Amino acid sequence: MLLNNILCVHQVHSSRTRFTDGCYDGLYPGHIHTTPIQKALLAVGSGVAALQNPYRHDMVAVLGETTGHLALINLREKMRNDPEGYTILTERPRIRLSTLNLSEMSSLPDGSFGREYCRFLEDNHVTPDSRADVKYVDNEELAYVMQRYREVHDLLHTLLGMPTNMLGEVAVKWFEAAQTGLPMCTLGAVLGPLRLNPSRLQQLFTSLGPWALHNGRRARCVLSIFYERRWEQNIEDLRQELNIEPPPVILSATKK
């Protein structure tokens, strides 16, 4: 028994870049089975905690997992029907410090997607490893879809030109709500503006909000892009390919 536990712990740390069942009782490493009632309680509790502190990413993660089943099914179908998205579902890439060569990406020309992503990480003091692993999704493939959504979130910030301050996060949530249909994103889009001051609220409702909703509806599924193979691509060309317009307002990376 002790040996099996040690082997399982070792596998958790050695399989950071893919989903696998191995010696786990659950559907994938870290999976926690919950009943519908337990999911409902988790959703309510995490929703309240996330409302009180939107930067509680752990609570936001739980809320997304316990309320997003139908939206995840829809996103998976979009990925399956897209050649690039299907490749992602097949190969299961992960966006982690262990899978990225940030020094090489930082040396790419200005305007390349990889360079602009590194600049976003530096300016906003964030890391790809800040995204929690999925625990409460009771389907292995849907769990990967949720994980992929989390790990491309910062890439979406880069594509949309939005920093991680409250206004930037709300604008991205408006885009994600229109694009993904995840209840977590819709809740963030509705409640996030309550934390904005009047001038930022005006920016959101007059320019950033309509732009985010419009582009979220019309853009190609952002989960169906193999970003790891696009680092050298010009960010403007990538935006055009995804049918995303440049932001109407340039926001600087300010303190949250």
Side-chain angles (χ1 to χ4, degrees), residues 45-64 130-131 149 153 157 164-171 173 176 184-185 187-196 256:
S46 60
V48 171
L51 178 60
Q52 293 175 338
N53 182 2
Y55 293 107
R56 280 290 305 272
H57 297 300
D58 54 341
M59 293 294 97
V60 174
V62 173
L63 179 63
S130 62
R131 302 299 166 186
Y149 158 75
H153 178 78
H157 269 276
T164 59
N165 57 31
M166 183 56 69
L167 180 56
E169 290 288 358
V170 173
K173 277 291 175 281
E176 290 179 338
M184 167 195 66
C185 298
L187 185 65
V190 171
L191 299 180
L194 299 178
R195 291 182 168 267
L196 298 175
K256 297 175 184 178

Side-chain angles (χ1 to χ4, degrees), residues 9-163:
V9 170
H10 174 72
Q11 188 168 350
V12 168
H13 292 283
S14 62
S15 60
R16 299 292 298 277
T17 60
R18 59 191 176 93
F19 277 71
T20 178
D21 17 33
C23 56
Y24 297 93
D25 293 331
L27 297 172
Y28 49 85
H31 172 244
I32 300 174
H33 177 73
T34 49
T35 65
I37 293 177
Q38 289 171 325
K39 278 187 172 60
L41 293 174
L42 285 169
V44 172
S46 60
V48 171
L51 178 60
Q52 293 175 338
N53 182 2
Y55 293 107
R56 280 290 305 272
H57 297 300
D58 54 341
M59 293 294 97
V60 174
V62 173
L63 179 63
E65 294 175 33
T66 54
T67 61
H69 182 70
L70 295 178
L72 290 173
I73 291 175
N74 184 52
L75 289 170
R76 179 180 63 182
E77 291 309 303
K78 289 182 178 180
M79 295 178 73
R80 283 178 173 178
N81 293 325
D82 183 291
E84 197 169 356
Y86 183 81
T87 301
I88 293 169
L89 286 176
T90 302
E91 297 187 12
R92 306 285 181 89
R94 299 291 302 274
I95 300 174
R96 299 286 202 183
L97 285 176
S98 60
T99 65
L100 300 176
N101 189 337
L102 293 182
S103 60
E104 181 178 312
M105 291 163 61
S106 296
S107 67
L108 292 172
D110 288 340
S112 64
F113 181 54
R115 180 67 190 95
E116 297 309 316
Y117 173 57
C118 286
R119 182 174 286 115
F120 166 84
L121 296 177
E122 295 163 1
D123 291 347
N124 293 277
H125 309 291
V126 294
T127 169
D129 285 353
S130 62
R131 302 299 166 186
D133 289 331
V134 174
K135 298 178 181 178
Y136 299 107
V137 177
D138 295 331
N139 177 284
E140 192 265 348
E141 191 171 42
L142 294 182
Y144 176 75
V145 174
M146 174 59 82
Q147 192 71 47
R148 185 67 176 175
Y149 158 75
R150 283 183 190 161
E151 293 181 5
V152 304
H153 178 78
D154 287 341
L155 302 178
L156 191 53
H157 269 276
T158 304
L159 282 170
L160 298 177
M162 293 293 108

